Amino acid sequence: MIDWNHIWMISLVASRDGHLENSYEKEEAAEQYDRSEVAWLDGERRASALVIDPSWSVLDIGAGPGTQALPLAKRAKRVTAVEPSLAMVKRLERHIVEERLSNVRILPRKWEDLSPEDVGEHDVVIASYSLAFLDIREALLKMDRLAKRRVYLYWFAGIPSWERIRMDLYPRIYGREHVLSPMSDVLYNLLYSLGIYADVQVQEKTEFPIAYNSIAEGISDLRRALGLNTQEHNGMIRDYLESRGRQEGEKVMLEDDTVYVRVSWTTKGRLSSPCR
């Protein structure tokens, strides 16, 4: 039999050049995400697409600043937000106060480090673009055990925009191809091997274009994303931004052609409920 968990693990490690640290631990990255209107609108859209009864509890794994947890907290009885980045937790706490919400519990730890007793059962479990677990099999099984009704995962079926940049530029910078992170096909096959027969739905309205206020800002950001510590490749990065990007005055935007999917299933032996 194919070991889909192992395929996920080696692909994930290779795609990140062996560096699995959480980039959102950095204040700059967390602030940039929190300020993204696109991210907040997408969180609202994902939340509104779920049927949530006012008596239900929701578990959001990798909640970030609350893009999906906060709109769900306004509809559910309670929400538990798992978020390991303290920079993100700080922003989530601020937004909870701003929204005057009293039904959100924060667990500022990695999902892998939390026991089922730490978390407790919830009616619905959600993980949105937060599946960078080495042992994805155990992570998924824990979600399935703690979900009384349904699990929702959001992941990629097409090449994410930040990986497209690496695919385009790695051969010219490092003389080798970029290895892609594991996609939703690996996720689905792993679930299937566990006896979980999931629904897969393409999220047609989801896109995350990358926008920079200037070419200089884009060069600086891509240099950091590509792991470059010198300005040696600035000219090549500038050419890339000018040829692939769409310029609006001083601003430059890299369009996002990623295909995003929602993978979900009703948990076995649990309460049945109308979900979509």
Side-chain angles (χ1 to χ4, degrees):
M1 293 181 64
I2 298 173
D3 188 342
W4 294 105
N5 195 48
H6 183 65
I7 290 174
W8 179 281
M9 182 184 301
I10 60 176
S11 299
L12 183 65
V13 172
S15 71
R16 302 192 176 199
D17 297 326
H19 305 296
L20 295 176
E21 67 275 4
N22 184 353
S23 62
Y24 289 113
E25 287 288 355
K26 299 176 181 178
E27 285 285 337
E28 181 182 2
E31 181 63 19
Q32 184 178 30
Y33 186 91
D34 189 30
R35 287 184 176 179
S36 171
E37 182 179 357
V38 172
W40 282 95
L41 288 174
D42 185 66
E44 291 272 3
R45 183 164 49 242
R46 279 183 275 114
S48 65
L50 304 180
V51 173
I52 302 293
D53 189 275
S55 66
W56 289 1
S57 58
V58 177
L59 172 62
D60 186 6
I61 301 166
T67 51
Q68 192 167 7
L70 297 185
L72 287 172
K74 297 173 184 177
R75 297 167 52 203
K77 183 177 181 179
R78 61 184 176 90
V79 170
T80 298
V82 174
E83 176 51 57
S85 163
L86 296 183
M88 284 293 197
V89 167
K90 181 170 67 176
R91 287 158 178 81
L92 175 57
E93 290 174 335
R94 185 178 72 239
H95 295 317
I96 289 171
V97 173
E98 292 169 347
E99 298 286 343
R100 298 183 179 181
L101 296 170
S102 59
N103 62 338
V104 181
R105 175 179 61 142
I106 302 174
L107 295 177
R109 295 167 62 188
K110 293 182 179 180
W111 177 242
E112 307 95 307
D113 297 337
L114 289 165
S115 70
E117 293 73 27
D118 292 328
V119 182
E121 288 189 339
H122 291 68
D123 290 286
V124 173
V125 174
I126 300 167
S128 299
Y129 313 118
S130 55
L131 299 177
F133 307 115
L134 274 179
D135 190 348
I136 187 67
R137 181 180 184 276
E138 182 53 38
L140 294 173
L141 287 174
K142 187 160 58 174
M143 294 179 202
D144 185 68
R145 287 196 298 268
L146 294 179
K148 293 190 287 185
R149 299 176 186 272
R150 199 162 178 86
V151 177
Y152 293 94
L153 310 176
Y154 297 84
W155 201 240
F156 316 102
I159 302 170
S161 55
W162 59 90
E163 292 209 77
R164 170 69 66 187
I165 294 167
R166 290 174 170 82
M167 284 186 65
D168 292 342
L169 296 181
Y170 261 43
R172 297 161 65 183
I173 295 172
Y174 297 110
R176 62 180 173 84
E177 300 294 328
H178 169 65
V179 179
L180 288 174
S181 58
M183 299 295 172
S184 56
D185 57 334
V186 180
L187 184 62
Y188 181 86
N189 279 295
L190 173 58
L191 290 167
Y192 190 92
S193 72
L194 296 173
I196 297 173
Y197 309 123
D199 299 319
V200 180
Q201 183 181 58
V202 174
Q203 304 294 282
E204 294 182 352
K205 295 183 179 180
T206 298
E207 58 179 37
F208 296 96
I210 302 173
Y212 299 112
N213 290 319
S214 66
I215 287 286
E217 181 181 271
I219 292 172
S220 177
D221 187 74
L222 290 195
R223 197 170 58 223
R224 183 170 55 251
L226 292 164
L228 301 173
N229 298 316
T230 71
Q231 300 182 19
E232 176 186 354
H233 299 285
N234 279 14
M236 182 180 62
I237 295 173
R238 174 184 290 275
D239 292 342
Y240 180 76
L241 287 169
E242 291 178 343
S243 62
R244 183 171 169 241
R246 174 167 56 85
Q247 290 192 262
E248 299 175 355
E250 292 295 316
K251 295 184 178 181
V252 61
M253 179 176 293
L254 297 177
E255 301 293 351
D256 181 18
D257 59 358
T258 309
V259 178
Y260 298 86
V261 295
R262 187 182 77 182
V263 180
S264 64
W265 67 93
T266 300
T267 50
K268 287 185 175 181
R270 306 288 187 172
L271 302 172
S272 60
S273 60
C275 296
R276 67 166 184 253

